Every structure is written in structure tokens, then in C-alpha cells.
Short mmCIF file of all heavy atoms in Angstrom, two decimals:
data_model
loop_
_atom_site.label_atom_id
_atom_site.label_comp_id
_atom_site.label_asym_id
_atom_site.label_seq_id
_atom_site.Cartn_x
_atom_site.Cartn_y
_atom_site.Cartn_z
N GLU A 6 -8.20 19.25 -14.90
CA GLU A 6 -9.01 20.47 -15.06
C GLU A 6 -10.49 20.20 -15.10
O GLU A 6 -11.29 20.93 -14.52
CB GLU A 6 -8.60 21.20 -16.35
CG GLU A 6 -7.21 21.82 -16.29
CD GLU A 6 -6.96 22.78 -17.44
OE1 GLU A 6 -7.41 22.49 -18.56
OE2 GLU A 6 -6.33 23.84 -17.20
N GLN A 7 -10.89 19.12 -15.82
CA GLN A 7 -12.31 18.76 -15.92
C GLN A 7 -12.43 17.24 -15.86
O GLN A 7 -11.50 16.52 -16.24
CB GLN A 7 -12.91 19.25 -17.23
CG GLN A 7 -12.92 20.75 -17.42
CD GLN A 7 -13.49 21.15 -18.78
OE1 GLN A 7 -14.38 20.48 -19.32
NE2 GLN A 7 -12.97 22.23 -19.35
N VAL A 8 -13.59 16.77 -15.41
CA VAL A 8 -13.84 15.32 -15.39
C VAL A 8 -15.20 15.03 -15.99
O VAL A 8 -16.12 15.87 -15.92
CB VAL A 8 -13.76 14.75 -13.96
CG1 VAL A 8 -12.40 15.00 -13.34
CG2 VAL A 8 -14.86 15.30 -13.07
N GLY A 9 -15.34 13.83 -16.59
CA GLY A 9 -16.62 13.41 -17.15
C GLY A 9 -17.63 13.04 -16.08
O GLY A 9 -17.28 12.89 -14.90
N SER A 10 -18.87 12.86 -16.50
CA SER A 10 -19.98 12.67 -15.56
C SER A 10 -19.87 11.41 -14.72
O SER A 10 -20.42 11.33 -13.62
CB SER A 10 -21.30 12.65 -16.34
OG SER A 10 -21.30 11.60 -17.31
N GLU A 11 -19.15 10.38 -15.21
CA GLU A 11 -19.05 9.11 -14.49
C GLU A 11 -17.71 8.94 -13.77
O GLU A 11 -17.48 7.90 -13.16
CB GLU A 11 -19.24 7.95 -15.47
CG GLU A 11 -20.59 7.92 -16.17
CD GLU A 11 -21.74 7.77 -15.18
OE1 GLU A 11 -21.59 6.99 -14.22
OE2 GLU A 11 -22.77 8.44 -15.36
N VAL A 12 -16.85 9.91 -13.84
CA VAL A 12 -15.52 9.80 -13.22
C VAL A 12 -15.64 9.99 -11.71
O VAL A 12 -16.21 10.97 -11.23
CB VAL A 12 -14.55 10.84 -13.81
CG1 VAL A 12 -13.21 10.81 -13.06
CG2 VAL A 12 -14.32 10.57 -15.30
N ARG A 13 -15.08 9.05 -10.96
CA ARG A 13 -15.08 9.12 -9.51
C ARG A 13 -13.67 9.08 -8.92
O ARG A 13 -13.48 9.41 -7.76
CB ARG A 13 -15.88 7.95 -8.92
CG ARG A 13 -17.33 7.91 -9.36
CD ARG A 13 -18.14 9.06 -8.79
NE ARG A 13 -19.54 9.01 -9.20
CZ ARG A 13 -20.02 9.62 -10.28
NH1 ARG A 13 -19.21 10.36 -11.04
NH2 ARG A 13 -21.29 9.54 -10.60
N TYR A 14 -12.68 8.68 -9.72
CA TYR A 14 -11.32 8.47 -9.21
C TYR A 14 -10.59 9.77 -8.94
O TYR A 14 -9.84 9.88 -7.97
CB TYR A 14 -10.54 7.60 -10.20
CG TYR A 14 -9.08 7.40 -9.87
CD1 TYR A 14 -8.71 6.74 -8.71
CD2 TYR A 14 -8.09 7.88 -10.72
CE1 TYR A 14 -7.36 6.57 -8.39
CE2 TYR A 14 -6.75 7.72 -10.41
CZ TYR A 14 -6.39 7.06 -9.25
OH TYR A 14 -5.06 6.90 -8.94
N VAL A 15 -10.76 10.77 -9.82
CA VAL A 15 -10.07 12.05 -9.65
C VAL A 15 -11.09 13.18 -9.73
O VAL A 15 -12.22 12.99 -10.19
CB VAL A 15 -8.97 12.26 -10.72
CG1 VAL A 15 -7.83 11.29 -10.54
CG2 VAL A 15 -9.56 12.16 -12.14
N GLU A 16 -10.64 14.36 -9.33
CA GLU A 16 -11.45 15.56 -9.43
C GLU A 16 -10.55 16.72 -9.82
O GLU A 16 -9.31 16.61 -9.72
CB GLU A 16 -12.16 15.84 -8.11
CG GLU A 16 -11.23 16.04 -6.93
CD GLU A 16 -11.98 16.17 -5.62
OE1 GLU A 16 -13.11 15.67 -5.51
OE2 GLU A 16 -11.40 16.79 -4.69
N PRO A 17 -11.13 17.83 -10.29
CA PRO A 17 -10.30 18.98 -10.68
C PRO A 17 -9.37 19.41 -9.56
O PRO A 17 -9.75 19.47 -8.39
CB PRO A 17 -11.34 20.06 -11.00
CG PRO A 17 -12.53 19.29 -11.49
CD PRO A 17 -12.57 18.06 -10.62
N GLY A 18 -8.12 19.69 -9.94
CA GLY A 18 -7.10 20.08 -8.98
C GLY A 18 -6.17 18.96 -8.57
O GLY A 18 -5.09 19.22 -8.03
N ASP A 19 -6.56 17.70 -8.83
CA ASP A 19 -5.69 16.57 -8.50
C ASP A 19 -4.45 16.56 -9.38
O ASP A 19 -4.52 16.89 -10.58
CB ASP A 19 -6.43 15.24 -8.67
CG ASP A 19 -7.39 14.95 -7.53
OD1 ASP A 19 -7.25 15.56 -6.45
OD2 ASP A 19 -8.28 14.09 -7.71
N HIS A 20 -3.32 16.17 -8.81
CA HIS A 20 -2.08 15.99 -9.56
C HIS A 20 -2.01 14.53 -10.02
O HIS A 20 -2.30 13.62 -9.24
CB HIS A 20 -0.86 16.31 -8.68
CG HIS A 20 -0.73 17.76 -8.37
ND1 HIS A 20 0.46 18.33 -7.93
CD2 HIS A 20 -1.61 18.78 -8.44
CE1 HIS A 20 0.29 19.62 -7.74
NE2 HIS A 20 -0.95 19.92 -8.03
N VAL A 21 -1.63 14.34 -11.27
CA VAL A 21 -1.64 12.98 -11.84
C VAL A 21 -0.39 12.74 -12.67
O VAL A 21 0.25 13.67 -13.17
CB VAL A 21 -2.89 12.73 -12.71
CG1 VAL A 21 -4.16 12.79 -11.88
CG2 VAL A 21 -2.96 13.72 -13.88
N ILE A 22 -0.07 11.45 -12.83
CA ILE A 22 0.91 10.97 -13.81
C ILE A 22 0.14 10.17 -14.83
O ILE A 22 -0.76 9.38 -14.47
CB ILE A 22 1.98 10.07 -13.16
CG1 ILE A 22 2.71 10.79 -12.02
CG2 ILE A 22 2.99 9.59 -14.21
CD1 ILE A 22 3.64 9.87 -11.23
N THR A 23 0.47 10.35 -16.11
CA THR A 23 -0.15 9.53 -17.15
C THR A 23 0.64 8.25 -17.35
O THR A 23 1.81 8.16 -16.98
CB THR A 23 -0.20 10.27 -18.49
OG1 THR A 23 1.14 10.55 -18.93
CG2 THR A 23 -0.98 11.57 -18.37
N CYS A 24 0.00 7.25 -17.94
CA CYS A 24 0.70 6.01 -18.29
C CYS A 24 0.11 5.47 -19.58
O CYS A 24 -1.13 5.42 -19.73
CB CYS A 24 0.57 4.97 -17.17
SG CYS A 24 1.63 3.53 -17.44
N LEU A 25 0.97 5.06 -20.49
CA LEU A 25 0.48 4.58 -21.78
C LEU A 25 -0.18 3.21 -21.70
O LEU A 25 -0.87 2.79 -22.63
CB LEU A 25 1.58 4.60 -22.84
CG LEU A 25 2.80 3.70 -22.67
CD1 LEU A 25 2.57 2.31 -23.22
CD2 LEU A 25 4.00 4.32 -23.36
N SER A 26 0.02 2.48 -20.60
CA SER A 26 -0.67 1.20 -20.46
C SER A 26 -2.05 1.43 -19.84
O SER A 26 -2.37 0.97 -18.75
CB SER A 26 0.15 0.21 -19.63
OG SER A 26 0.55 0.77 -18.40
N VAL A 27 -2.87 2.18 -20.60
CA VAL A 27 -4.25 2.43 -20.21
C VAL A 27 -4.97 1.09 -20.09
O VAL A 27 -4.75 0.19 -20.90
CB VAL A 27 -4.95 3.32 -21.26
CG1 VAL A 27 -6.33 3.74 -20.77
CG2 VAL A 27 -4.10 4.53 -21.60
N PHE A 28 -5.83 0.94 -19.09
CA PHE A 28 -6.48 -0.35 -18.89
C PHE A 28 -7.99 -0.19 -18.83
O PHE A 28 -8.50 0.85 -18.38
CB PHE A 28 -5.98 -1.00 -17.59
CG PHE A 28 -6.28 -0.21 -16.34
CD1 PHE A 28 -7.42 -0.48 -15.59
CD2 PHE A 28 -5.43 0.80 -15.91
CE1 PHE A 28 -7.70 0.24 -14.45
CE2 PHE A 28 -5.71 1.53 -14.77
CZ PHE A 28 -6.85 1.25 -14.04
N CYS A 29 -8.71 -1.22 -19.30
CA CYS A 29 -10.17 -1.16 -19.27
C CYS A 29 -10.73 -1.58 -17.92
O CYS A 29 -11.77 -1.10 -17.48
CB CYS A 29 -10.76 -2.01 -20.38
SG CYS A 29 -10.58 -3.81 -20.14
N GLY A 30 -10.05 -2.54 -17.27
CA GLY A 30 -10.47 -2.98 -15.95
C GLY A 30 -11.31 -4.24 -15.91
O GLY A 30 -11.58 -4.77 -14.83
N TYR A 31 -11.71 -4.75 -17.08
CA TYR A 31 -12.57 -5.93 -17.05
C TYR A 31 -12.25 -7.00 -18.09
O TYR A 31 -12.93 -8.02 -18.16
CB TYR A 31 -14.04 -5.53 -17.17
CG TYR A 31 -14.36 -4.64 -18.35
CD1 TYR A 31 -14.50 -5.14 -19.64
CD2 TYR A 31 -14.56 -3.28 -18.17
CE1 TYR A 31 -14.80 -4.33 -20.71
CE2 TYR A 31 -14.86 -2.44 -19.24
CZ TYR A 31 -14.99 -2.97 -20.50
OH TYR A 31 -15.29 -2.15 -21.56
N CYS A 32 -11.23 -6.80 -18.91
CA CYS A 32 -10.86 -7.84 -19.88
C CYS A 32 -10.09 -8.95 -19.16
O CYS A 32 -9.78 -8.86 -17.97
CB CYS A 32 -10.02 -7.24 -21.01
SG CYS A 32 -8.34 -6.75 -20.51
N GLU A 33 -9.77 -10.01 -19.90
CA GLU A 33 -9.06 -11.15 -19.31
C GLU A 33 -7.72 -10.74 -18.71
O GLU A 33 -7.35 -11.19 -17.62
CB GLU A 33 -8.84 -12.23 -20.38
CG GLU A 33 -8.07 -13.44 -19.86
CD GLU A 33 -7.80 -14.48 -20.93
OE1 GLU A 33 -8.32 -14.33 -22.06
OE2 GLU A 33 -7.07 -15.46 -20.63
N TYR A 34 -6.98 -9.87 -19.41
CA TYR A 34 -5.67 -9.45 -18.90
C TYR A 34 -5.81 -8.63 -17.62
O TYR A 34 -5.09 -8.85 -16.65
CB TYR A 34 -4.92 -8.64 -19.97
CG TYR A 34 -4.55 -9.46 -21.18
CD1 TYR A 34 -5.17 -9.24 -22.41
CD2 TYR A 34 -3.59 -10.47 -21.10
CE1 TYR A 34 -4.84 -10.00 -23.52
CE2 TYR A 34 -3.25 -11.22 -22.20
CZ TYR A 34 -3.88 -10.99 -23.41
OH TYR A 34 -3.55 -11.74 -24.50
N CYS A 35 -6.74 -7.68 -17.64
CA CYS A 35 -6.94 -6.86 -16.45
C CYS A 35 -7.37 -7.71 -15.26
O CYS A 35 -6.87 -7.54 -14.14
CB CYS A 35 -7.99 -5.78 -16.72
SG CYS A 35 -7.44 -4.45 -17.81
N MET A 36 -8.28 -8.65 -15.51
CA MET A 36 -8.79 -9.49 -14.43
C MET A 36 -7.79 -10.54 -13.98
O MET A 36 -7.94 -11.14 -12.91
CB MET A 36 -10.10 -10.17 -14.85
CG MET A 36 -11.23 -9.18 -15.15
SD MET A 36 -11.61 -8.11 -13.75
CE MET A 36 -12.27 -9.28 -12.59
N SER A 37 -6.74 -10.78 -14.78
CA SER A 37 -5.70 -11.75 -14.43
C SER A 37 -4.48 -11.07 -13.80
O SER A 37 -3.45 -11.71 -13.61
CB SER A 37 -5.26 -12.54 -15.67
OG SER A 37 -6.35 -13.24 -16.23
N GLY A 38 -4.59 -9.79 -13.50
CA GLY A 38 -3.47 -9.08 -12.88
C GLY A 38 -2.40 -8.63 -13.84
O GLY A 38 -1.27 -8.36 -13.43
N GLU A 39 -2.73 -8.54 -15.14
CA GLU A 39 -1.78 -8.08 -16.15
C GLU A 39 -2.35 -6.90 -16.93
O GLU A 39 -2.46 -6.93 -18.15
CB GLU A 39 -1.43 -9.22 -17.11
CG GLU A 39 -0.77 -10.41 -16.46
CD GLU A 39 -0.48 -11.53 -17.44
OE1 GLU A 39 -1.45 -12.11 -17.99
OE2 GLU A 39 0.70 -11.80 -17.67
N PRO A 40 -2.72 -5.80 -16.25
CA PRO A 40 -3.37 -4.69 -16.95
C PRO A 40 -2.50 -4.03 -18.00
O PRO A 40 -3.02 -3.38 -18.91
CB PRO A 40 -3.71 -3.71 -15.81
CG PRO A 40 -2.73 -4.05 -14.72
CD PRO A 40 -2.55 -5.54 -14.81
N SER A 41 -1.17 -4.18 -17.91
CA SER A 41 -0.30 -3.58 -18.92
C SER A 41 -0.47 -4.23 -20.29
O SER A 41 -0.02 -3.69 -21.30
CB SER A 41 1.17 -3.66 -18.49
OG SER A 41 1.60 -5.00 -18.39
N LEU A 42 -1.12 -5.40 -20.34
CA LEU A 42 -1.36 -6.09 -21.61
C LEU A 42 -2.74 -5.83 -22.18
O LEU A 42 -3.08 -6.34 -23.25
CB LEU A 42 -1.16 -7.61 -21.42
CG LEU A 42 0.24 -8.06 -20.99
CD1 LEU A 42 0.28 -9.58 -20.83
CD2 LEU A 42 1.29 -7.61 -21.98
N CYS A 43 -3.55 -5.03 -21.50
CA CYS A 43 -4.89 -4.70 -21.99
C CYS A 43 -4.80 -4.07 -23.38
O CYS A 43 -3.91 -3.25 -23.65
CB CYS A 43 -5.55 -3.73 -21.01
SG CYS A 43 -7.21 -3.17 -21.50
N ASP A 44 -5.74 -4.45 -24.28
CA ASP A 44 -5.67 -3.88 -25.63
C ASP A 44 -6.25 -2.46 -25.70
O ASP A 44 -6.14 -1.80 -26.74
CB ASP A 44 -6.36 -4.79 -26.65
CG ASP A 44 -7.87 -4.88 -26.46
OD1 ASP A 44 -8.46 -4.06 -25.73
OD2 ASP A 44 -8.48 -5.79 -27.07
N LYS A 45 -6.88 -1.99 -24.64
CA LYS A 45 -7.30 -0.59 -24.46
C LYS A 45 -8.44 -0.16 -25.37
O LYS A 45 -8.87 1.00 -25.32
CB LYS A 45 -6.12 0.37 -24.64
CG LYS A 45 -4.92 0.04 -23.78
CD LYS A 45 -3.82 1.09 -23.92
CE LYS A 45 -3.05 0.96 -25.21
NZ LYS A 45 -1.87 1.86 -25.25
N ARG A 46 -8.96 -1.05 -26.21
CA ARG A 46 -9.99 -0.62 -27.17
C ARG A 46 -11.21 -0.04 -26.46
O ARG A 46 -11.82 0.92 -26.93
CB ARG A 46 -10.39 -1.79 -28.06
CG ARG A 46 -9.39 -2.08 -29.17
CD ARG A 46 -9.82 -3.22 -30.04
NE ARG A 46 -9.80 -4.49 -29.33
CZ ARG A 46 -10.02 -5.67 -29.90
NH1 ARG A 46 -10.28 -5.72 -31.20
NH2 ARG A 46 -9.97 -6.78 -29.20
N ALA A 47 -11.55 -0.61 -25.31
CA ALA A 47 -12.75 -0.15 -24.60
C ALA A 47 -12.56 1.23 -23.97
O ALA A 47 -13.53 1.84 -23.51
CB ALA A 47 -13.12 -1.16 -23.51
N THR A 48 -11.31 1.73 -23.96
CA THR A 48 -11.05 3.05 -23.36
C THR A 48 -11.05 4.16 -24.40
O THR A 48 -10.85 5.32 -24.05
CB THR A 48 -9.70 3.05 -22.61
OG1 THR A 48 -8.63 2.94 -23.56
CG2 THR A 48 -9.63 1.90 -21.62
N ARG A 49 -11.26 3.81 -25.66
CA ARG A 49 -11.24 4.80 -26.74
C ARG A 49 -12.66 5.18 -27.15
O ARG A 49 -13.61 4.44 -26.89
CB ARG A 49 -10.48 4.25 -27.95
CG ARG A 49 -9.03 3.94 -27.63
CD ARG A 49 -8.36 3.16 -28.73
NE ARG A 49 -6.99 2.80 -28.37
CZ ARG A 49 -6.36 1.72 -28.80
NH1 ARG A 49 -6.96 0.88 -29.60
NH2 ARG A 49 -5.12 1.47 -28.41
N ARG A 50 -12.79 6.30 -27.80
CA ARG A 50 -14.09 6.70 -28.31
C ARG A 50 -14.51 5.78 -29.45
O ARG A 50 -13.67 5.36 -30.26
CB ARG A 50 -14.07 8.16 -28.78
CG ARG A 50 -13.99 9.14 -27.63
CD ARG A 50 -14.22 10.57 -28.06
NE ARG A 50 -14.37 11.43 -26.89
CZ ARG A 50 -14.58 12.74 -26.94
NH1 ARG A 50 -14.66 13.35 -28.13
NH2 ARG A 50 -14.71 13.44 -25.83
N PRO A 51 -15.80 5.44 -29.53
CA PRO A 51 -16.24 4.53 -30.59
C PRO A 51 -16.08 5.14 -31.97
O PRO A 51 -16.06 6.37 -32.14
CB PRO A 51 -17.71 4.28 -30.25
CG PRO A 51 -18.12 5.45 -29.42
CD PRO A 51 -16.90 5.85 -28.65
#
């Protein structure tokens, strides 16, 4: 329905599936091809 100012991956109207293995994209696990092991802290509000 809405996207934040820096979001480029999706736009309003896109159909999506959620996944609980949210990933940050730059930790050791994400960069090693194991994003399901990301601790996700960087994806939460401070």
C-alpha cells in the first residue's frame, strides 16, 4: 500500500509474500550466502 522514501524493490500495488527470515543484506551471514541466519537487528527500528 505504501513504501518508504528509500524503497526501490517494490511499489504500491505489488503482490508480495512475507518471510520471517528478514535479512539485512550486509552482515557476514548475508554476504556468505546464508541470509536465513541473519540476526535481523539492522532491519528493526532503533
Side-chain angles (χ1 to χ4, degrees):
E6 291 193 322
Q7 297 178 33
V8 301
S10 60
E11 299 298 320
V12 174
R13 301 292 181 267
Y14 175 63
V15 293
E16 59 186 25
D19 283 341
H20 290 199
V21 296
I22 303 172
T23 62
C24 189
L25 64 86
S26 52
V27 188
F28 62 94
C29 70
Y31 52 79
C32 71
E33 179 182 354
Y34 294 110
C35 288
M36 297 303 292
S37 300
E39 299 178 295
S41 63
L42 298 179
C43 178
D44 68 14
K45 307 185 284 188
R46 282 181 292 186
T48 68
R49 298 169 183 150
R50 289 191 170 180

